[in-house]
Amino acid sequence: MGAATVAASSSRSMAVLAILVAASFLAAATAASPVPAIYVLGDSLADVGNNNHLPTILRADFPHNGIDYPGKKATGRFSNGKNSVDFLADNLGLASPPPYLALSSSSANYVNGVNFASGGAGVSNDTNKGQCIVFDKQIDYFSSVSASLAQSLGQAQASAHLSKSLFAITIGSNDIIHYARSSSAGDSPQPFVDALIQTLTAQLQRLYDLGARKLVFLGTGPVGCCPSLRELSATKNCSTVANDASVRYNAAAASLLAGMAARHPDMRYALFDSSAALLQFINQPAKYGFAEAKAACCGLGDMNAKIGCTPLSFYCSNRTSHIFWDFYHPTETTARMLTSTAFDGSAPLIFPINIRQLSAL
């Protein structure tokens, strides 16, 4: 047998082996959960370490972040422990998808899900540009993953796999924070929201075109109540400008998703009204087991909101009593409770179906 023939035979064997390995991973994932994988896109609320691999100041791979994570490890999550994506995966019996930038393209197993989320990202590519993986770039990365799955599984099986997988998306908070910091008193946020939704429409359509069929859209929270924006007010009240923009954005996103589902009968979605859900905790903290609804647990300055959570910052001893971990992000406890509502709750907080119902389809 000639060298060329041996090489060709070896190449075919390796290709067959790669397909068999990918198929075995797919079979195992499908057997364990009605959802074979989660593909995550978004911002710091969902980042599990992508920004660790970027030359950016928007990082969380240092203490005191991760103080309640297994092994007390700072992983790049903007949290004292797990974030909403981790709890979503836990509820589905899946491992939390790894950060895309931590995977080697030559040996990556994309069948089990991937997390593309990046701290600082917004709907607009101008939001924190140069400091994060912008949302459009995240979709570019998913396009590469989709192509890789088609190559390893075959197009039909890859499409079937993606159609059963959940696509968890949390985006928009950073755009609104930037808007609130730069807007003038009396400005209506509607033109700003309309521009965001126009951009988001094309982005979600592109995800659909790449194979996404089950979308979990986590709307923006009441970002005006985060310690950083509260601290700007002499009275330490929530920013009405930011909260108004959040409500309008979530309502527009609901209309966008309903329209997409009407145009694409094979698409299903669950939209979580993070703003309304988190405001329940903020307005009645004791009812939900919290003692502190305004100040950050970890930080420096007034309300721990002047400087973020760094190794030099102070942090509270009882993280479960605080709604906010740092000047922007929720504690692990808050994230767990919100995810539980999104997973098993009902309208008007999660609609038209909840995540458990979406995953079973």
Side-chain angles (χ1 to χ4, degrees), residues 235-257:
T235 58
K236 309 308 175 191
N237 290 329
C238 301
S239 164
T240 55
V241 172
N243 282 358
D244 183 23
S246 282
V247 169
R248 292 171 186 250
Y249 173 80
N250 289 342
S255 295
L256 163 58
L257 287 164

PDB file of all heavy atoms in Angstrom, residues 235-257:
ATOM      1  N   THR A 235     -30.315  61.687  46.884  1.00  0.00           N
ATOM      2  CA  THR A 235     -31.251  60.977  47.757  1.00  0.00           C
ATOM      3  C   THR A 235     -31.044  59.460  47.724  1.00  0.00           C
ATOM      4  O   THR A 235     -31.729  58.722  48.425  1.00  0.00           O
ATOM      5  CB  THR A 235     -32.691  61.283  47.337  1.00  0.00           C
ATOM      6  OG1 THR A 235     -32.870  60.899  45.965  1.00  0.00           O
ATOM      7  CG2 THR A 235     -32.987  62.773  47.484  1.00  0.00           C
ATOM      8  N   LYS A 236     -30.118  59.013  46.876  1.00  0.00           N
ATOM      9  CA  LYS A 236     -29.820  57.572  46.708  1.00  0.00           C
ATOM     10  C   LYS A 236     -31.025  56.796  46.179  1.00  0.00           C
ATOM     11  O   LYS A 236     -31.174  55.595  46.424  1.00  0.00           O
ATOM     12  CB  LYS A 236     -29.318  56.939  48.023  1.00  0.00           C
ATOM     13  CG  LYS A 236     -28.189  57.700  48.686  1.00  0.00           C
ATOM     14  CD  LYS A 236     -27.041  57.970  47.747  1.00  0.00           C
ATOM     15  CE  LYS A 236     -25.972  58.835  48.394  1.00  0.00           C
ATOM     16  NZ  LYS A 236     -24.957  59.322  47.428  1.00  0.00           N
ATOM     17  N   ASN A 237     -31.874  57.493  45.445  1.00  0.00           N
ATOM     18  CA  ASN A 237     -33.011  56.828  44.814  1.00  0.00           C
ATOM     19  C   ASN A 237     -32.581  56.201  43.486  1.00  0.00           C
ATOM     20  O   ASN A 237     -31.541  56.536  42.919  1.00  0.00           O
ATOM     21  CB  ASN A 237     -34.139  57.825  44.554  1.00  0.00           C
ATOM     22  CG  ASN A 237     -34.812  58.282  45.832  1.00  0.00           C
ATOM     23  OD1 ASN A 237     -34.887  57.522  46.797  1.00  0.00           O
ATOM     24  ND2 ASN A 237     -35.292  59.509  45.849  1.00  0.00           N
ATOM     25  N   CYS A 238     -33.419  55.297  42.988  1.00  0.00           N
ATOM     26  CA  CYS A 238     -33.156  54.677  41.691  1.00  0.00           C
ATOM     27  C   CYS A 238     -33.227  55.731  40.591  1.00  0.00           C
ATOM     28  O   CYS A 238     -33.982  56.697  40.700  1.00  0.00           O
ATOM     29  CB  CYS A 238     -34.177  53.577  41.404  1.00  0.00           C
ATOM     30  SG  CYS A 238     -34.224  52.241  42.608  1.00  0.00           S
ATOM     31  N   SER A 239     -32.462  55.521  39.539  1.00  0.00           N
ATOM     32  CA  SER A 239     -32.516  56.403  38.375  1.00  0.00           C
ATOM     33  C   SER A 239     -33.793  56.112  37.591  1.00  0.00           C
ATOM     34  O   SER A 239     -33.953  55.030  37.017  1.00  0.00           O
ATOM     35  CB  SER A 239     -31.293  56.177  37.476  1.00  0.00           C
ATOM     36  OG  SER A 239     -31.502  56.739  36.192  1.00  0.00           O
ATOM     37  N   THR A 240     -34.700  57.071  37.560  1.00  0.00           N
ATOM     38  CA  THR A 240     -35.957  56.871  36.827  1.00  0.00           C
ATOM     39  C   THR A 240     -35.707  56.812  35.321  1.00  0.00           C
ATOM     40  O   THR A 240     -36.434  56.122  34.604  1.00  0.00           O
ATOM     41  CB  THR A 240     -36.958  57.993  37.144  1.00  0.00           C
ATOM     42  OG1 THR A 240     -36.349  59.259  36.865  1.00  0.00           O
ATOM     43  CG2 THR A 240     -37.365  57.951  38.612  1.00  0.00           C
ATOM     44  N   VAL A 241     -34.689  57.527  34.860  1.00  0.00           N
ATOM     45  CA  VAL A 241     -34.359  57.505  33.431  1.00  0.00           C
ATOM     46  C   VAL A 241     -33.962  56.091  33.004  1.00  0.00           C
ATOM     47  O   VAL A 241     -34.471  55.551  32.008  1.00  0.00           O
ATOM     48  CB  VAL A 241     -33.211  58.491  33.121  1.00  0.00           C
ATOM     49  CG1 VAL A 241     -32.733  58.321  31.682  1.00  0.00           C
ATOM     50  CG2 VAL A 241     -33.661  59.928  33.358  1.00  0.00           C
ATOM     51  N   ALA A 242     -33.071  55.474  33.772  1.00  0.00           N
ATOM     52  CA  ALA A 242     -32.604  54.124  33.433  1.00  0.00           C
ATOM     53  C   ALA A 242     -33.728  53.103  33.564  1.00  0.00           C
ATOM     54  O   ALA A 242     -33.887  52.219  32.713  1.00  0.00           O
ATOM     55  CB  ALA A 242     -31.426  53.735  34.320  1.00  0.00           C
ATOM     56  N   ASN A 243     -34.510  53.205  34.629  1.00  0.00           N
ATOM     57  CA  ASN A 243     -35.589  52.236  34.828  1.00  0.00           C
ATOM     58  C   ASN A 243     -36.679  52.368  33.774  1.00  0.00           C
ATOM     59  O   ASN A 243     -37.255  51.373  33.323  1.00  0.00           O
ATOM     60  CB  ASN A 243     -36.179  52.371  36.231  1.00  0.00           C
ATOM     61  CG  ASN A 243     -35.309  51.724  37.290  1.00  0.00           C
ATOM     62  OD1 ASN A 243     -34.280  51.133  36.978  1.00  0.00           O
ATOM     63  ND2 ASN A 243     -35.707  51.850  38.537  1.00  0.00           N
ATOM     64  N   ASP A 244     -36.968  53.603  33.371  1.00  0.00           N
ATOM     65  CA  ASP A 244     -37.947  53.822  32.308  1.00  0.00           C
ATOM     66  C   ASP A 244     -37.455  53.185  31.010  1.00  0.00           C
ATOM     67  O   ASP A 244     -38.217  52.518  30.296  1.00  0.00           O
ATOM     68  CB  ASP A 244     -38.173  55.319  32.123  1.00  0.00           C
ATOM     69  CG  ASP A 244     -39.230  55.634  31.071  1.00  0.00           C
ATOM     70  OD1 ASP A 244     -40.087  54.772  30.802  1.00  0.00           O
ATOM     71  OD2 ASP A 244     -39.207  56.753  30.522  1.00  0.00           O
ATOM     72  N   ALA A 245     -36.169  53.367  30.718  1.00  0.00           N
ATOM     73  CA  ALA A 245     -35.597  52.775  29.503  1.00  0.00           C
ATOM     74  C   ALA A 245     -35.657  51.250  29.560  1.00  0.00           C
ATOM     75  O   ALA A 245     -35.942  50.593  28.551  1.00  0.00           O
ATOM     76  CB  ALA A 245     -34.156  53.241  29.313  1.00  0.00           C
ATOM     77  N   SER A 246     -35.428  50.674  30.740  1.00  0.00           N
ATOM     78  CA  SER A 246     -35.490  49.215  30.894  1.00  0.00           C
ATOM     79  C   SER A 246     -36.889  48.689  30.624  1.00  0.00           C
ATOM     80  O   SER A 246     -37.069  47.681  29.924  1.00  0.00           O
ATOM     81  CB  SER A 246     -35.057  48.804  32.306  1.00  0.00           C
ATOM     82  OG  SER A 246     -33.667  48.828  32.447  1.00  0.00           O
ATOM     83  N   VAL A 247     -37.893  49.356  31.186  1.00  0.00           N
ATOM     84  CA  VAL A 247     -39.279  48.921  30.983  1.00  0.00           C
ATOM     85  C   VAL A 247     -39.637  48.988  29.499  1.00  0.00           C
ATOM     86  O   VAL A 247     -40.239  48.056  28.941  1.00  0.00           O
ATOM     87  CB  VAL A 247     -40.239  49.787  31.820  1.00  0.00           C
ATOM     88  CG1 VAL A 247     -41.688  49.529  31.416  1.00  0.00           C
ATOM     89  CG2 VAL A 247     -40.052  49.502  33.310  1.00  0.00           C
ATOM     90  N   ARG A 248     -39.260  50.076  28.846  1.00  0.00           N
ATOM     91  CA  ARG A 248     -39.567  50.226  27.426  1.00  0.00           C
ATOM     92  C   ARG A 248     -38.817  49.188  26.581  1.00  0.00           C
ATOM     93  O   ARG A 248     -39.371  48.626  25.622  1.00  0.00           O
ATOM     94  CB  ARG A 248     -39.200  51.640  26.960  1.00  0.00           C
ATOM     95  CG  ARG A 248     -40.071  52.744  27.546  1.00  0.00           C
ATOM     96  CD  ARG A 248     -39.504  54.118  27.205  1.00  0.00           C
ATOM     97  NE  ARG A 248     -40.208  55.206  27.854  1.00  0.00           N
ATOM     98  CZ  ARG A 248     -40.988  56.078  27.224  1.00  0.00           C
ATOM     99  NH1 ARG A 248     -41.192  55.972  25.917  1.00  0.00           N
ATOM    100  NH2 ARG A 248     -41.569  57.055  27.899  1.00  0.00           N
ATOM    101  N   TYR A 249     -37.576  48.948  26.937  1.00  0.00           N
ATOM    102  CA  TYR A 249     -36.764  47.974  26.200  1.00  0.00           C
ATOM    103  C   TYR A 249     -37.352  46.570  26.320  1.00  0.00           C
ATOM    104  O   TYR A 249     -37.475  45.840  25.333  1.00  0.00           O
ATOM    105  CB  TYR A 249     -35.332  48.002  26.728  1.00  0.00           C
ATOM    106  CG  TYR A 249     -34.417  46.931  26.161  1.00  0.00           C
ATOM    107  CD1 TYR A 249     -33.832  47.069  24.908  1.00  0.00           C
ATOM    108  CD2 TYR A 249     -34.128  45.784  26.902  1.00  0.00           C
ATOM    109  CE1 TYR A 249     -32.985  46.093  24.394  1.00  0.00           C
ATOM    110  CE2 TYR A 249     -33.291  44.806  26.405  1.00  0.00           C
ATOM    111  CZ  TYR A 249     -32.716  44.967  25.150  1.00  0.00           C
ATOM    112  OH  TYR A 249     -31.877  43.981  24.652  1.00  0.00           O
ATOM    113  N   ASN A 250     -37.711  46.172  27.537  1.00  0.00           N
ATOM    114  CA  ASN A 250     -38.284  44.839  27.741  1.00  0.00           C
ATOM    115  C   ASN A 250     -39.601  44.678  26.994  1.00  0.00           C
ATOM    116  O   ASN A 250     -39.887  43.618  26.417  1.00  0.00           O
ATOM    117  CB  ASN A 250     -38.483  44.566  29.234  1.00  0.00           C
ATOM    118  CG  ASN A 250     -37.170  44.365  29.978  1.00  0.00           C
ATOM    119  OD1 ASN A 250     -36.138  44.094  29.365  1.00  0.00           O
ATOM    120  ND2 ASN A 250     -37.195  44.519  31.287  1.00  0.00           N
ATOM    121  N   ALA A 251     -40.429  45.730  26.997  1.00  0.00           N
ATOM    122  CA  ALA A 251     -41.705  45.667  26.273  1.00  0.00           C
ATOM    123  C   ALA A 251     -41.470  45.554  24.767  1.00  0.00           C
ATOM    124  O   ALA A 251     -42.145  44.781  24.070  1.00  0.00           O
ATOM    125  CB  ALA A 251     -42.537  46.907  26.585  1.00  0.00           C
ATOM    126  N   ALA A 252     -40.490  46.292  24.265  1.00  0.00           N
ATOM    127  CA  ALA A 252     -40.179  46.235  22.837  1.00  0.00           C
ATOM    128  C   ALA A 252     -39.584  44.884  22.462  1.00  0.00           C
ATOM    129  O   ALA A 252     -39.870  44.335  21.387  1.00  0.00           O
ATOM    130  CB  ALA A 252     -39.218  47.361  22.461  1.00  0.00           C
ATOM    131  N   ALA A 253     -38.758  44.317  23.350  1.00  0.00           N
ATOM    132  CA  ALA A 253     -38.190  42.992  23.098  1.00  0.00           C
ATOM    133  C   ALA A 253     -39.294  41.939  23.061  1.00  0.00           C
ATOM    134  O   ALA A 253     -39.245  40.989  22.265  1.00  0.00           O
ATOM    135  CB  ALA A 253     -37.161  42.646  24.163  1.00  0.00           C
ATOM    136  N   ALA A 254     -40.307  42.099  23.914  1.00  0.00           N
ATOM    137  CA  ALA A 254     -41.440  41.170  23.912  1.00  0.00           C
ATOM    138  C   ALA A 254     -42.172  41.221  22.571  1.00  0.00           C
ATOM    139  O   ALA A 254     -42.536  40.182  22.001  1.00  0.00           O
ATOM    140  CB  ALA A 254     -42.394  41.503  25.058  1.00  0.00           C
ATOM    141  N   SER A 255     -42.379  42.418  22.049  1.00  0.00           N
ATOM    142  CA  SER A 255     -43.037  42.559  20.745  1.00  0.00           C
ATOM    143  C   SER A 255     -42.181  41.972  19.634  1.00  0.00           C
ATOM    144  O   SER A 255     -42.692  41.314  18.708  1.00  0.00           O
ATOM    145  CB  SER A 255     -43.319  44.038  20.458  1.00  0.00           C
ATOM    146  OG  SER A 255     -44.253  44.571  21.370  1.00  0.00           O
ATOM    147  N   LEU A 256     -40.881  42.197  19.721  1.00  0.00           N
ATOM    148  CA  LEU A 256     -39.955  41.661  18.728  1.00  0.00           C
ATOM    149  C   LEU A 256     -40.012  40.134  18.690  1.00  0.00           C
ATOM    150  O   LEU A 256     -40.127  39.518  17.616  1.00  0.00           O
ATOM    151  CB  LEU A 256     -38.536  42.134  19.049  1.00  0.00           C
ATOM    152  CG  LEU A 256     -37.367  41.393  18.394  1.00  0.00           C
ATOM    153  CD1 LEU A 256     -37.466  41.415  16.884  1.00  0.00           C
ATOM    154  CD2 LEU A 256     -36.037  41.994  18.857  1.00  0.00           C
ATOM    155  N   LEU A 257     -39.959  39.507  19.859  1.00  0.00           N
ATOM    156  CA  LEU A 257     -39.960  38.046  19.919  1.00  0.00           C
ATOM    157  C   LEU A 257     -41.309  37.472  19.471  1.00  0.00           C
ATOM    158  O   LEU A 257     -41.348  36.435  18.791  1.00  0.00           O
ATOM    159  CB  LEU A 257     -39.613  37.584  21.330  1.00  0.00           C
ATOM    160  CG  LEU A 257     -38.137  37.765  21.709  1.00  0.00           C
ATOM    161  CD1 LEU A 257     -37.945  37.660  23.210  1.00  0.00           C
ATOM    162  CD2 LEU A 257     -37.266  36.744  20.984  1.00  0.00           C
TER     163      LEU A 257
END
